[in-house]
Coordinates of all heavy atoms in Angstrom, one line a residue:
D376 N 8.1 6.8 -24.7 CA 6.7 7.1 -24.4 C 6.6 8.6 -23.9 O 6.4 8.8 -22.7 CB 6.1 6.1 -23.4 CG 4.6 6.2 -23.2 OD1 4.0 7.2 -23.7 OD2 4.1 5.3 -22.6
R377 N 6.6 9.5 -24.8 CA 6.7 10.9 -24.4 C 5.4 11.4 -23.7 O 5.5 12.2 -22.9 CB 7.0 11.8 -25.7 CG 8.3 11.5 -26.3 CD 9.5 11.6 -25.4 NE 9.6 13.0 -24.8 CZ 10.3 13.3 -23.8 NH1 11.0 12.3 -23.1 NH2 10.4 14.5 -23.3
A378 N 4.3 10.8 -24.1 CA 3.0 11.2 -23.5 C 3.0 10.9 -22.0 O 2.6 11.7 -21.2 CB 1.8 10.6 -24.2
A379 N 3.5 9.7 -21.7 CA 3.6 9.3 -20.3 C 4.6 10.1 -19.5 O 4.4 10.5 -18.4 CB 4.0 7.8 -20.2
A380 N 5.8 10.4 -20.2 CA 6.8 11.2 -19.6 C 6.3 12.6 -19.3 O 6.7 13.2 -18.2 CB 8.0 11.3 -20.5
M381 N 5.5 13.2 -20.1 CA 5.0 14.6 -19.9 C 3.8 14.6 -19.0 O 3.4 15.7 -18.7 CB 4.7 15.2 -21.3 CG 5.9 15.3 -22.2 SD 7.2 16.4 -21.5 CE 6.3 18.0 -21.5
A382 N 3.3 13.5 -18.6 CA 2.0 13.5 -17.9 C 2.1 14.2 -16.6 O 1.1 14.8 -16.1 CB 1.6 12.0 -17.6
V383 N 3.3 14.2 -15.9 CA 3.4 14.8 -14.6 C 3.2 16.3 -14.7 O 2.9 16.9 -13.7 CB 4.7 14.5 -14.0 CG1 4.8 13.0 -13.7 CG2 5.9 14.9 -14.9
S384 N 3.4 16.9 -15.9 CA 3.2 18.3 -16.0 C 1.8 18.7 -16.6 O 1.5 19.8 -16.8 CB 4.3 18.9 -16.9 OG 4.2 18.3 -18.2
S385 N 0.9 17.6 -16.7 CA -0.4 17.9 -17.3 C -1.5 18.0 -16.3 O -2.7 18.0 -16.6 CB -0.7 16.7 -18.3 OG -0.9 15.5 -17.5
K386 N -1.1 18.1 -15.0 CA -2.1 18.2 -13.9 C -3.0 19.4 -14.2 O -2.5 20.6 -14.4 CB -1.4 18.4 -12.6 CG -2.3 18.4 -11.4 CD -1.4 18.5 -10.1 CE -2.3 18.6 -8.9 NZ -1.5 18.8 -7.7
S387 N -4.3 19.2 -14.2 CA -5.2 20.3 -14.6 C -6.1 20.7 -13.4 O -6.3 20.0 -12.4 CB -6.2 19.7 -15.7 OG -6.9 18.6 -15.2
R388 N -6.5 21.9 -13.5 CA -7.5 22.5 -12.5 C -8.8 21.9 -12.7 O -9.2 21.5 -13.8 CB -7.5 24.0 -12.6 CG -6.3 24.7 -12.1 CD -6.5 26.1 -11.7 NE -5.4 26.7 -11.1 CZ -5.5 27.9 -10.4 NH1 -6.6 28.6 -10.3 NH2 -4.4 28.4 -9.9

Side-chain angles (χ1 to χ4, degrees):
D376 191 346
R377 298 304 299 166
M381 296 298 294
V383 294
S384 61
S385 66
K386 185 177 177 180
S387 60
R388 289 202 172 192

